[in-house]
Coordinates of all heavy atoms in Angstrom, one line a residue:
Y252 N -19.3 -18.6 -7.3 CA -17.8 -18.8 -6.9 C -17.0 -19.1 -8.2 O -16.0 -18.5 -8.5 CB -17.6 -19.8 -5.8 CG -16.2 -20.1 -5.6 CD1 -15.4 -19.2 -4.8 CD2 -15.7 -21.3 -6.0 CE1 -14.0 -19.6 -4.5 CE2 -14.4 -21.6 -5.8 CZ -13.6 -20.7 -5.0 OH -12.2 -21.1 -4.7
L253 N -17.4 -20.2 -8.9 CA -16.6 -20.6 -10.1 C -16.7 -19.4 -11.2 O -15.8 -19.3 -11.9 CB -17.2 -21.8 -10.6 CG -16.9 -23.1 -9.8 CD1 -17.5 -24.3 -10.3 CD2 -15.4 -23.3 -9.4
L254 N -17.8 -18.8 -11.3 CA -18.0 -17.7 -12.3 C -17.0 -16.6 -11.8 O -16.2 -16.0 -12.7 CB -19.3 -17.1 -12.3 CG -19.6 -15.9 -13.2 CD1 -19.2 -16.3 -14.7 CD2 -21.0 -15.4 -13.1
G255 N -16.8 -16.3 -10.6 CA -15.9 -15.3 -10.2 C -14.4 -15.7 -10.5 O -13.6 -14.9 -10.9
R256 N -14.1 -16.9 -10.3 CA -12.8 -17.4 -10.5 C -12.5 -17.4 -12.2 O -11.4 -16.9 -12.5 CB -12.6 -18.9 -10.1 CG -12.6 -19.1 -8.7 CD -11.4 -18.6 -7.9 NE -10.1 -19.1 -8.4 CZ -9.5 -20.2 -8.1 NH1 -10.0 -21.0 -7.1 NH2 -8.4 -20.6 -8.6
T257 N -13.5 -17.6 -12.9 CA -13.4 -17.5 -14.4 C -13.2 -16.0 -14.7 O -12.3 -15.7 -15.6 CB -14.6 -18.1 -15.1 OG1 -14.8 -19.5 -14.7 CG2 -14.5 -17.9 -16.6
K258 N -13.9 -15.2 -14.1 CA -13.8 -13.7 -14.4 C -12.4 -13.3 -14.0 O -11.8 -12.5 -14.7 CB -14.8 -12.9 -13.8 CG -16.2 -13.2 -14.2 CD -16.5 -12.7 -15.6 CE -17.9 -12.8 -16.0 NZ -18.1 -12.3 -17.4
I259 N -11.9 -13.7 -12.9 CA -10.4 -13.4 -12.5 C -9.5 -13.8 -13.6 O -8.6 -13.0 -14.0 CB -10.1 -13.9 -11.1 CG1 -10.8 -13.3 -10.0 CG2 -8.6 -14.0 -10.9 CD1 -10.3 -11.9 -9.6
R260 N -9.6 -15.0 -14.1 CA -8.7 -15.5 -15.1 C -8.8 -14.6 -16.4 O -7.8 -14.5 -17.2 CB -8.9 -17.0 -15.4 CG -8.3 -17.8 -14.4 CD -8.4 -19.3 -14.8 NE -9.6 -19.9 -15.1 CZ -10.5 -20.4 -14.2 NH1 -10.1 -20.4 -12.9 NH2 -11.6 -20.9 -14.6
Q261 N -10.0 -14.0 -16.7 CA -10.2 -13.2 -17.8 C -9.9 -11.7 -17.6 O -10.0 -10.9 -18.4 CB -11.7 -13.4 -18.2 CG -12.1 -14.7 -18.7 CD -13.6 -14.8 -19.0 OE1 -14.4 -14.0 -18.4 NE2 -14.1 -15.8 -19.8
E262 N -9.4 -11.6 -16.3 CA -8.9 -10.2 -15.9 C -10.1 -9.2 -15.9 O -10.0 -8.0 -16.0 CB -7.8 -9.7 -16.7 CG -6.5 -10.5 -16.6 CD -5.5 -10.0 -17.4 OE1 -5.5 -8.9 -17.9 OE2 -4.4 -10.8 -17.5
D263 N -11.4 -9.8 -15.6 CA -12.5 -9.0 -15.4 C -12.8 -8.8 -14.0 O -13.7 -9.5 -13.3 CB -13.8 -9.7 -16.2 CG -15.1 -8.9 -16.0 OD1 -15.2 -7.8 -15.4 OD2 -16.1 -9.4 -16.5
V264 N -12.1 -7.9 -13.4 CA -12.2 -7.8 -11.9 C -13.6 -7.3 -11.4 O -14.1 -7.9 -10.5 CB -11.2 -6.7 -11.4 CG1 -11.2 -6.4 -10.0 CG2 -9.8 -7.2 -11.7
I265 N -14.2 -6.5 -12.2 CA -15.6 -6.0 -11.8 C -16.6 -7.1 -11.9 O -17.4 -7.3 -11.0 CB -16.0 -4.8 -12.7 CG1 -15.1 -3.6 -12.4 CG2 -17.5 -4.4 -12.4 CD1 -15.3 -2.4 -13.3
G266 N -16.6 -7.9 -13.0 CA -17.4 -9.1 -13.0 C -17.1 -10.1 -12.0 O -18.0 -10.7 -11.4
A267 N -15.9 -10.3 -11.7 CA -15.4 -11.2 -10.7 C -15.9 -10.8 -9.3 O -16.5 -11.6 -8.5 CB -13.9 -11.4 -10.6
Q268 N -15.9 -9.5 -9.0 CA -16.3 -9.0 -7.7 C -17.8 -9.2 -7.5 O -18.3 -9.6 -6.5 CB -16.0 -7.5 -7.6 CG -16.4 -6.9 -6.3 CD -16.1 -5.4 -6.2 OE1 -15.5 -4.8 -7.1 NE2 -16.5 -4.7 -5.1
A269 N -18.6 -9.0 -8.7 CA -20.0 -9.1 -8.6 C -20.4 -10.6 -8.4 O -21.2 -10.9 -7.6 CB -20.7 -8.6 -9.9
A270 N -19.6 -11.5 -9.1 CA -19.9 -13.0 -8.8 C -19.6 -13.4 -7.4 O -20.3 -14.1 -6.8 CB -19.1 -13.7 -9.9
F271 N -18.4 -12.9 -6.9 CA -17.9 -13.3 -5.5 C -19.0 -12.7 -4.5 O -19.2 -13.2 -3.5 CB -16.6 -12.9 -5.2 CG -15.6 -13.6 -6.0 CD1 -14.5 -13.0 -6.7 CD2 -15.6 -15.0 -6.1 CE1 -13.7 -13.8 -7.3 CE2 -14.7 -15.8 -6.7 CZ -13.7 -15.1 -7.4
E272 N -19.5 -11.4 -4.8 CA -20.5 -10.9 -3.9 C -21.8 -11.8 -3.8 O -22.3 -12.0 -2.6 CB -20.9 -9.5 -4.3 CG -19.7 -8.4 -3.9 CD -20.0 -7.1 -4.5 OE1 -21.1 -6.9 -5.2 OE2 -19.3 -6.2 -4.2
V273 N -22.2 -12.3 -4.9 CA -23.4 -13.3 -4.9 C -23.0 -14.5 -4.1 O -23.8 -14.9 -3.3 CB -23.8 -13.6 -6.3 CG1 -24.9 -14.7 -6.4 CG2 -24.4 -12.3 -7.1
A274 N -21.8 -15.1 -4.4 CA -21.4 -16.3 -3.7 C -21.3 -16.0 -2.2 O -21.7 -16.8 -1.4 CB -20.0 -16.8 -4.2
Y275 N -20.8 -14.9 -1.7 CA -20.6 -14.5 -0.4 C -22.0 -14.4 0.3 O -22.2 -14.8 1.5 CB -19.8 -13.2 -0.3 CG -19.7 -12.8 1.2 CD1 -18.6 -13.4 1.9 CD2 -20.5 -11.9 1.8 CE1 -18.4 -13.0 3.4 CE2 -20.3 -11.6 3.1 CZ -19.4 -12.1 3.9 OH -19.1 -11.7 5.2
S276 N -23.0 -13.8 -0.4 CA -24.4 -13.6 0.2 C -25.0 -15.0 0.4 O -25.8 -15.2 1.3 CB -25.2 -12.8 -0.7 OG -25.6 -13.5 -1.9
L277 N -24.6 -16.0 -0.4 CA -25.1 -17.4 -0.2 C -24.3 -18.2 0.8 O -24.9 -19.1 1.5 CB -25.0 -18.1 -1.5 CG -25.8 -17.5 -2.6 CD1 -25.6 -18.2 -4.0 CD2 -27.3 -17.7 -2.2
D278 N -23.0 -17.9 1.0 CA -22.2 -18.7 2.0 C -21.1 -17.8 2.4 O -19.9 -18.0 2.1 CB -21.7 -19.9 1.3 CG -21.0 -20.9 2.2 OD1 -21.1 -20.6 3.4 OD2 -20.6 -22.0 1.8
P279 N -21.4 -17.0 3.5 CA -20.3 -16.1 4.1 C -19.3 -16.9 4.9 O -18.3 -16.2 5.3 CB -21.1 -15.1 4.9 CG -22.4 -15.8 5.2 CD -22.7 -16.6 4.0
D280 N -19.6 -18.1 5.2 CA -18.6 -18.9 6.1 C -17.8 -19.7 5.3 O -17.1 -20.6 5.8 CB -19.5 -19.8 7.0 CG -20.3 -18.9 8.0 OD1 -19.7 -17.8 8.4 OD2 -21.4 -19.3 8.3
D281 N -17.7 -19.5 4.0 CA -16.7 -20.2 3.1 C -15.5 -19.4 3.1 O -15.5 -18.2 2.5 CB -17.3 -20.4 1.7 CG -16.4 -21.3 0.8 OD1 -15.3 -20.9 0.7 OD2 -16.9 -22.2 0.3
G282 N -14.3 -19.9 3.5 CA -13.1 -19.1 3.6 C -12.6 -18.8 2.2 O -12.1 -17.7 2.0
Y283 N -12.8 -19.7 1.3 CA -12.3 -19.5 -0.1 C -13.0 -18.3 -0.8 O -12.5 -17.5 -1.5 CB -12.4 -20.7 -0.9 CG -11.3 -21.7 -0.5 CD1 -11.6 -22.7 0.4 CD2 -9.9 -21.6 -1.0 CE1 -10.5 -23.4 0.9 CE2 -9.0 -22.5 -0.6 CZ -9.3 -23.4 0.4 OH -8.3 -24.3 0.8
I284 N -14.3 -18.2 -0.6 CA -15.1 -17.1 -1.1 C -14.7 -15.8 -0.4 O -14.4 -14.7 -1.1 CB -16.7 -17.3 -0.8 CG1 -17.2 -18.5 -1.7 CG2 -17.4 -16.0 -1.2 CD1 -18.5 -18.9 -1.4
N285 N -14.4 -15.8 0.9 CA -13.8 -14.6 1.6 C -12.5 -14.1 0.9 O -12.2 -13.0 0.7 CB -13.7 -14.8 3.0 CG -14.9 -14.7 3.8 OD1 -15.2 -13.6 4.3 ND2 -15.8 -15.7 3.8
Y286 N -11.7 -15.2 0.6 CA -10.3 -14.9 0.0 C -10.4 -14.2 -1.3 O -9.8 -13.3 -1.6 CB -9.5 -16.2 0.0 CG -8.2 -16.0 -0.6 CD1 -7.1 -15.5 0.0 CD2 -8.0 -16.2 -2.1 CE1 -5.9 -15.2 -0.6 CE2 -6.8 -16.0 -2.6 CZ -5.8 -15.5 -1.9 OH -4.6 -15.3 -2.5
W287 N -11.3 -14.8 -2.2 CA -11.3 -14.3 -3.5 C -12.1 -13.1 -3.6 O -11.7 -12.2 -4.4 CB -12.0 -15.4 -4.4 CG -10.9 -16.5 -4.7 CD1 -10.8 -17.7 -4.2 CD2 -9.8 -16.4 -5.6 NE1 -9.7 -18.4 -4.7 CE2 -9.1 -17.6 -5.6 CE3 -9.4 -15.4 -6.4 CZ2 -7.9 -17.7 -6.3 CZ3 -8.2 -15.6 -7.1 CH2 -7.5 -16.7 -7.1
I288 N -13.1 -12.8 -2.8 CA -13.8 -11.5 -2.9 C -12.7 -10.5 -2.5 O -12.7 -9.3 -3.0 CB -15.0 -11.4 -2.1 CG1 -15.8 -10.2 -2.5 CG2 -14.8 -11.5 -0.7 CD1 -17.2 -10.1 -2.1
A289 N -11.9 -10.7 -1.5 CA -10.9 -9.8 -1.0 C -9.9 -9.4 -2.1 O -9.4 -8.3 -2.2 CB -10.2 -10.4 0.2
Q290 N -9.6 -10.4 -3.0 CA -8.7 -10.1 -4.1 C -9.2 -9.1 -5.1 O -8.3 -8.5 -5.9 CB -8.4 -11.5 -4.9 CG -7.8 -12.6 -4.0 CD -6.6 -12.1 -3.3 OE1 -5.5 -11.7 -3.9 NE2 -6.5 -12.1 -2.0
T291 N -10.5 -8.8 -5.1 CA -11.1 -7.9 -6.0 C -11.2 -6.5 -5.4 O -11.7 -5.5 -6.1 CB -12.4 -8.3 -6.5 OG1 -13.4 -8.3 -5.4 CG2 -12.3 -9.7 -7.1
L292 N -10.8 -6.3 -4.1 CA -11.0 -5.1 -3.4 C -9.7 -4.4 -2.9 O -8.7 -5.1 -3.0 CB -11.8 -5.4 -2.2 CG -13.2 -6.0 -2.4 CD1 -13.8 -6.5 -1.1 CD2 -14.1 -5.0 -3.1
S293 N -9.7 -3.1 -2.6 CA -8.7 -2.5 -2.1 C -8.4 -3.0 -0.7 O -9.2 -3.7 -0.1 CB -9.0 -0.9 -1.9 OG -9.9 -0.7 -0.9
C294 N -7.2 -2.8 -0.2 CA -6.9 -3.3 1.2 C -7.9 -2.9 2.3 O -8.4 -3.7 3.0 CB -5.5 -2.8 1.7 SG -4.2 -3.9 1.1
Q295 N -8.3 -1.7 2.3 CA -9.2 -1.2 3.3 C -10.5 -1.8 3.1 O -11.2 -2.3 4.2 CB -9.5 0.3 3.1 CG -10.2 0.9 4.2 CD -9.5 0.9 5.5 OE1 -8.3 0.8 5.7 NE2 -10.3 0.8 6.6
Q296 N -11.1 -2.1 1.9 CA -12.3 -2.8 1.7 C -12.2 -4.3 2.0 O -13.1 -5.0 2.4 CB -12.7 -2.6 0.3 CG -13.1 -1.2 -0.1 CD -13.4 -1.0 -1.5 OE1 -12.6 -1.5 -2.4 NE2 -14.4 -0.3 -1.9
A297 N -11.0 -4.9 1.8 CA -10.8 -6.3 1.8 C -10.6 -6.8 3.3 O -10.9 -7.9 3.5 CB -9.6 -6.7 1.0
K298 N -10.1 -5.9 4.1 CA -9.9 -6.4 5.5 C -10.9 -7.2 6.1 O -10.6 -8.2 6.8 CB -9.3 -5.2 6.3 CG -7.9 -4.8 6.1 CD -7.5 -3.6 7.0 CE -6.0 -3.1 6.5 NZ -5.6 -2.0 7.4
P299 N -12.1 -6.7 6.2 CA -13.2 -7.6 6.9 C -13.3 -9.0 6.3 O -13.4 -9.9 7.1 CB -14.4 -6.7 6.7 CG -14.0 -5.4 6.4 CD -12.7 -5.5 5.6
Y300 N -13.2 -9.1 5.0 CA -13.2 -10.4 4.3 C -11.9 -11.2 4.7 O -12.0 -12.5 4.9 CB -13.3 -10.3 2.8 CG -14.6 -9.6 2.4 CD1 -14.6 -8.3 2.0 CD2 -15.9 -10.4 2.4 CE1 -15.8 -7.7 1.5 CE2 -17.0 -9.8 2.0 CZ -16.9 -8.5 1.7 OH -18.1 -7.8 1.2
L301 N -10.8 -10.6 4.7 CA -9.6 -11.3 5.1 C -9.6 -11.7 6.6 O -9.2 -12.9 6.8 CB -8.4 -10.4 4.8 CG -8.1 -10.0 3.3 CD1 -7.0 -9.0 3.3 CD2 -7.7 -11.3 2.6
Q302 N -10.0 -10.9 7.4 CA -10.2 -11.2 8.9 C -11.1 -12.4 9.1 O -10.8 -13.3 9.9 CB -10.4 -10.0 9.7 CG -9.3 -9.1 9.7 CD -9.7 -7.6 10.1 OE1 -10.8 -7.2 10.1 NE2 -8.6 -6.8 10.5
N303 N -12.3 -12.2 8.5 CA -13.3 -13.3 8.7 C -12.8 -14.6 8.0 O -12.9 -15.6 8.6 CB -14.6 -12.9 7.9 CG -15.8 -13.8 8.1 OD1 -16.0 -14.3 9.1 ND2 -16.4 -14.2 7.0
G304 N -12.2 -14.5 6.9 CA -11.7 -15.8 6.2 C -10.6 -16.4 7.0 O -10.5 -17.6 7.1
Y305 N -9.7 -15.6 7.6 CA -8.6 -16.1 8.5 C -9.2 -16.8 9.7 O -8.7 -17.9 9.9 CB -7.8 -15.0 8.8 CG -6.5 -15.4 9.6 CD1 -5.6 -16.3 9.0 CD2 -6.3 -15.0 10.9 CE1 -4.4 -16.7 9.7 CE2 -5.1 -15.5 11.7 CZ -4.2 -16.3 11.1 OH -3.1 -16.8 11.8
T306 N -10.2 -16.3 10.3 CA -10.9 -17.0 11.4 C -11.5 -18.3 10.9 O -11.3 -19.3 11.6 CB -11.9 -16.1 12.0 OG1 -11.4 -14.9 12.5 CG2 -12.7 -16.8 13.2
I307 N -12.1 -18.3 9.7 CA -12.7 -19.5 9.2 C -11.6 -20.5 9.0 O -11.7 -21.8 9.3 CB -13.5 -19.3 8.0 CG1 -14.7 -18.4 8.3 CG2 -13.8 -20.5 7.2 CD1 -15.4 -17.7 7.0
A308 N -10.5 -20.1 8.4 CA -9.4 -21.0 8.1 C -8.8 -21.6 9.4 O -8.4 -22.9 9.4 CB -8.3 -20.3 7.2
L309 N -8.7 -20.8 10.4 CA -8.2 -21.3 11.7 C -9.1 -22.4 12.2 O -8.7 -23.3 12.7 CB -8.1 -20.0 12.7 CG -6.9 -19.2 12.5 CD1 -7.0 -18.0 13.4 CD2 -5.6 -19.9 12.8
N310 N -10.4 -22.1 12.2 CA -11.4 -23.0 12.8 C -11.4 -24.3 12.1 O -11.6 -25.3 12.6 CB -12.7 -22.3 12.8 CG -12.9 -21.2 13.8 OD1 -12.1 -21.1 14.7 ND2 -13.9 -20.4 13.5
N311 N -11.2 -24.2 10.7 CA -11.1 -25.4 9.9 C -9.7 -26.1 9.8 O -9.6 -27.1 9.2 CB -11.6 -25.1 8.4 CG -13.0 -24.7 8.4 OD1 -13.8 -25.1 9.3 ND2 -13.5 -24.0 7.4
Q312 N -8.8 -25.4 10.4 CA -7.4 -26.0 10.5 C -6.9 -26.1 9.0 O -6.1 -27.1 8.7 CB -7.2 -27.2 11.2 CG -7.6 -27.0 12.7 CD -7.4 -28.1 13.6 OE1 -7.2 -29.3 13.0 NE2 -7.6 -28.1 14.9
D313 N -7.2 -25.2 8.0 CA -6.9 -25.2 6.7 C -5.5 -24.4 6.6 O -5.6 -23.2 6.5 CB -8.0 -24.6 5.9 CG -7.6 -24.7 4.3 OD1 -6.5 -24.7 4.0 OD2 -8.6 -24.7 3.6
T314 N -4.4 -25.1 6.7 CA -3.2 -24.4 6.8 C -2.8 -23.6 5.4 O -2.3 -22.5 5.5 CB -2.0 -25.3 7.1 OG1 -2.0 -26.4 6.2 CG2 -2.2 -25.9 8.6
D315 N -3.2 -24.2 4.3 CA -3.0 -23.5 3.0 C -3.7 -22.1 3.0 O -3.1 -21.1 2.7 CB -3.3 -24.3 1.9 CG -2.5 -25.5 1.7 OD1 -1.2 -25.4 2.1 OD2 -2.9 -26.5 1.1
L316 N -4.9 -22.1 3.5 CA -5.7 -20.9 3.4 C -5.3 -20.0 4.5 O -5.1 -18.8 4.3 CB -7.2 -21.3 3.7 CG -8.3 -20.2 3.3 CD1 -8.1 -19.7 1.8 CD2 -9.7 -20.9 3.3
M317 N -4.9 -20.5 5.7 CA -4.4 -19.7 6.7 C -3.1 -18.9 6.3 O -3.0 -17.7 6.5 CB -3.9 -20.5 7.9 CG -5.1 -20.9 8.9 SD -4.6 -21.6 10.4 CE -4.0 -23.2 9.9
D318 N -2.3 -19.6 5.5 CA -1.1 -19.0 5.0 C -1.4 -17.9 4.1 O -0.8 -16.8 4.0 CB -0.1 -20.0 4.4 CG 0.5 -21.0 5.3 OD1 0.6 -20.7 6.6 OD2 1.0 -22.1 5.0
A319 N -2.4 -18.2 3.2 CA -2.7 -17.2 2.2 C -3.4 -15.9 2.9 O -3.1 -14.7 2.4 CB -3.9 -17.8 1.2
F320 N -4.2 -16.1 3.8 CA -4.8 -15.1 4.6 C -3.7 -14.2 5.3 O -3.7 -13.0 5.4 CB -5.9 -15.5 5.5 CG -7.2 -15.6 4.8 CD1 -7.8 -16.9 4.8 CD2 -7.9 -14.6 4.2 CE1 -9.0 -17.1 4.1 CE2 -9.1 -14.8 3.6 CZ -9.6 -16.1 3.5
Q321 N -2.8 -14.9 6.0 CA -1.7 -14.2 6.7 C -0.9 -13.3 5.7 O -0.6 -12.2 6.0 CB -0.8 -15.2 7.3 CG -1.3 -15.8 8.6 CD -0.5 -16.9 9.2 OE1 0.4 -17.4 8.5 NE2 -0.6 -17.2 10.4
F322 N -0.6 -13.9 4.5 CA 0.2 -13.1 3.5 C -0.6 -11.9 3.1 O -0.1 -10.8 3.1 CB 0.5 -14.1 2.3 CG 1.2 -13.3 1.3 CD1 2.7 -13.2 1.3 CD2 0.6 -12.9 0.1 CE1 3.2 -12.5 0.3 CE2 1.1 -12.2 -0.9 CZ 2.6 -12.0 -0.8
E323 N -2.0 -12.0 2.8 CA -2.7 -10.9 2.2 C -2.9 -9.8 3.5 O -2.8 -8.6 3.2 CB -4.0 -11.3 1.7 CG -3.9 -12.2 0.6 CD -3.3 -11.5 -0.6 OE1 -3.3 -10.3 -0.7 OE2 -2.6 -12.2 -1.5
L324 N -3.1 -10.3 4.6 CA -3.3 -9.4 5.8 C -2.0 -8.6 6.0 O -2.0 -7.4 6.2 CB -3.8 -10.1 7.1 CG -5.2 -10.6 7.1 CD1 -5.5 -11.6 8.1 CD2 -6.1 -9.3 7.3
Q325 N -0.9 -9.3 5.9 CA 0.4 -8.6 6.1 C 0.7 -7.5 5.0 O 1.2 -6.5 5.3 CB 1.5 -9.6 6.3 CG 1.4 -10.3 7.6 CD 2.4 -11.5 7.6 OE1 2.9 -11.9 6.7 NE2 2.6 -12.1 8.8
N326 N 0.2 -7.9 3.8 CA 0.4 -7.0 2.7 C -0.5 -5.7 2.9 O -0.2 -4.7 2.3 CB 0.0 -7.6 1.3 CG 1.1 -8.5 0.8 OD1 2.3 -8.3 1.2 ND2 0.8 -9.4 0.0
C327 N -1.6 -5.9 3.7 CA -2.4 -4.8 4.0 C -2.1 -4.1 5.3 O -2.8 -3.3 5.8 CB -3.9 -5.2 4.0 SG -4.6 -5.7 2.4
G328 N -0.9 -4.4 5.8 CA -0.4 -3.7 7.0 C -0.9 -4.3 8.3 O -0.7 -3.6 9.3
E329 N -1.5 -5.4 8.3 CA -1.9 -6.0 9.6 C -0.9 -6.9 10.2 O -0.2 -7.7 9.4 CB -3.3 -6.8 9.3 CG -4.5 -6.0 8.8 CD -5.0 -5.1 9.9 OE1 -5.3 -5.6 11.1 OE2 -5.1 -3.9 9.7
V330 N -0.8 -7.0 11.5 CA 0.1 -7.9 12.1 C -0.7 -9.1 12.4 O -1.7 -9.1 13.1 CB 0.6 -7.3 13.4 CG1 1.5 -8.2 14.2 CG2 1.4 -6.0 13.2
V331 N -0.2 -10.3 12.0 CA -0.9 -11.5 12.1 C 0.0 -12.6 12.8 O 1.1 -12.7 12.4 CB -1.3 -12.1 10.6 CG1 -2.1 -13.4 11.0 CG2 -2.1 -11.1 10.0
S332 N -0.5 -13.0 13.9 CA 0.3 -14.1 14.5 C -0.2 -15.5 14.1 O -1.4 -15.7 13.9 CB 0.1 -14.0 16.1 OG 0.5 -12.8 16.6
S333 N 0.7 -16.4 13.9 CA 0.3 -17.7 13.6 C -0.2 -18.4 14.9 O 0.1 -18.1 15.9 CB 1.5 -18.5 13.0 OG 2.4 -18.7 14.0
P334 N -1.0 -19.5 14.7 CA -1.6 -20.2 15.9 C -0.5 -20.8 16.7 O -0.8 -20.8 17.9 CB -2.3 -21.3 15.1 CG -2.6 -21.0 13.7 CD -1.5 -20.0 13.4
S335 N 0.6 -21.1 16.2 CA 1.7 -21.6 17.0 C 2.4 -20.4 17.9 O 3.0 -20.7 18.8 CB 2.9 -22.1 16.1 OG 3.4 -21.2 15.2
D336 N 1.9 -19.2 17.6 CA 2.4 -18.1 18.4 C 1.6 -17.9 19.7 O 1.8 -16.9 20.5 CB 2.4 -16.7 17.6 CG 3.5 -16.7 16.6 OD1 4.4 -17.5 16.6 OD2 3.3 -16.0 15.6
G337 N 0.6 -18.8 19.8 CA -0.2 -18.7 21.1 C -1.6 -18.0 20.9 O -2.2 -17.8 21.9
Q338 N -1.9 -17.7 19.6 CA -3.2 -17.0 19.4 C -4.1 -17.9 18.5 O -3.7 -18.7 17.9 CB -3.0 -15.7 18.7 CG -2.3 -14.7 19.7 CD -2.4 -13.4 19.1 OE1 -2.9 -13.1 18.0 NE2 -1.7 -12.4 19.9

């Protein structure tokens, strides 16, 4: 995960994606890993990670991460209701 973040800062998207894929294989239930791997992919490829990560953020009541996932999902054309909307 940290290697991926370092690669992102170095603008090495391919290296970051590889690092995040390894991190995801070790811990697919980490919302932050889902978020960051999605940042290295096209919207179509990222949607499963964004949707999974949003569910994780909801379950963990991590409002910062929920907001980040809502923003990214909306940028990819998904309609996202906030928990206060009854979902």
Side-chain angles (χ1 to χ4, degrees):
Y252 170 79
L253 293 177
L254 177 59
R256 295 288 307 271
T257 299
K258 295 289 185 182
I259 287 284
R260 283 193 299 277
Q261 295 171 341
E262 298 181 12
D263 178 3
V264 177
I265 294 170
Q268 182 180 358
F271 290 132
E272 285 174 355
V273 170
Y275 181 82
S276 72
L277 297 171
D278 191 3
D280 295 324
D281 184 307
Y283 288 92
I284 293 171
N285 279 267
Y286 177 81
W287 282 103
I288 195 171
Q290 299 306 300
T291 67
L292 303 169
S293 69
C294 276
Q295 190 65 27
Q296 295 170 317
K298 281 182 186 180
Y300 297 103
L301 294 172
Q302 292 163 339
N303 184 49
Y305 184 62
T306 300
I307 293 166
L309 284 172
N310 291 339
N311 293 337
Q312 299 179 352
D313 185 333
T314 56
D315 290 335
L316 198 52
M317 281 188 286
D318 290 345
F320 279 115
Q321 285 177 338
F322 179 80
E323 295 300 332
L324 283 162
Q325 288 169 348
N326 281 343
C327 288
E329 296 292 308
V330 176
V331 181
S332 298
S333 66
S335 61
D336 292 340
Q338 292 189 4

